[in-house]
Amino acid sequence: MAVKDTVQYKLTKVTTKTVLAGIVGIVMFFLAKDKHLAPVWFIPGAVVTIFGEWLRLWAAGHLRKNKQLTTTGPYSYVKNPLYIGTLLITVGYSAMAMNIWIMVAGFVWFFIYYAPYKKKQENEKLIGSFGAAWTEFDKAVPDYLPRLTPYPGRGTNRWSFEVVKKNSEHETAAAVFVGFAVMLYLLVR
């Protein structure tokens, strides 16, 4: 793929959601409570952020969009591991920035707007693509609070970094860790 084609492809991936996430991230850095962030907030926030991105990477390595119903990896425990990972990253960054209002806004946005909207949008698409298999999976696997045991009808796919790259999660991980580095810089300066 030529450089021009690659740039055009990357620009098609820029959505309102990604622009909004970038704006929120910038605002969060400016609203950090103190010029020197407190380790008591930073360390737990960093752990939550890293766990959130780890969950997203695990999920993205199993997700074969529009090709098959994904029931392996974290999807065998919970239907929306990518969303949970995003919420954990938001909570982690909010803690690192010592800003409860961004955390509250993130929860409100997630549970009142984002999650219901995505559920409706994706449910229709998944029923159309996978029919009864989706309906059975939808009934057996919770949206956000994981099952204690894996879904009995799960597939056999293994995690793959190639699949992570197809889902562009490696780029998200890089952005999360750049943000993490900036927050760490604010802590130690």
Side-chain angles (χ1 to χ4, degrees):
M1 187 180 280
V3 171
K4 182 179 177 184
D5 293 337
T6 302
V7 170
Q8 287 176 334
Y9 172 75
K10 294 293 182 190
L11 288 176
T12 63
K13 295 232 167 211
V14 175
T15 64
T16 304
K17 181 177 78 171
T18 56
V19 169
L20 182 61
I23 291 168
V24 168
I26 291 166
V27 168
M28 189 177 296
F29 293 131
F30 284 109
L31 294 178
K33 286 281 188 200
D34 194 309
K35 290 180 179 163
H36 298 287
L37 301 177
V40 72
W41 283 88
F42 185 87
I43 293 168
V47 169
V48 171
T49 300
I50 291 167
F51 180 72
E53 185 52 40
W54 172 82
L55 180 59
R56 286 188 55 86
L57 285 164
W58 185 29
H62 284 272
L63 181 62
R64 280 123 174 117
K65 288 181 186 174
N66 305 318
K67 293 184 178 162
Q68 64 184 169
L69 180 60
T70 304
T71 59
T72 57
Y75 292 93
S76 66
Y77 295 93
V78 64
K79 275 193 295 258
N80 299 302
L82 287 168
Y83 302 161
I84 295 168
T86 299
L87 185 61
L88 290 171
I89 290 166
T90 302
V91 168
Y93 273 135
S94 299
M96 285 189 284
M98 298 187 315
N99 194 312
I100 190 74
W101 297 113
I102 292 174
M103 191 180 303
V104 168
F107 273 99
V108 167
W109 170 79
F110 184 84
F111 287 108
I112 293 184
Y113 169 72
Y114 186 74
Y117 169 77
K118 291 299 263 181
K119 171 102 174 150
K120 182 180 187 284
Q121 181 185 33
E122 289 182 357
N123 198 42
E124 293 169 4
K125 188 174 166 184
L126 290 163
I127 287 173
S129 297
F130 303 111
W134 166 252
T135 304
E136 179 183 325
F137 178 74
D138 188 37
K139 288 178 185 171
V141 178
D143 289 340
Y144 300 105
L145 294 175
R147 296 169 51 101
L148 296 177
T149 59
Y151 173 59
R154 68 188 178 278
T156 58
N157 288 338
R158 298 232 181 256
W159 184 88
S160 164
F161 187 67
E162 289 303 314
V163 176
V164 168
K165 290 193 310 189
K166 284 181 184 171
N167 289 317
S168 301
E169 188 59 31
H170 64 298
E171 295 168 359
T172 302
V176 166
F177 287 108
V178 164
F180 180 80
V182 170
M183 295 298 278
L184 185 59
Y185 168 76
L186 292 173
L187 174 68
V188 297
R189 70 180 168 105

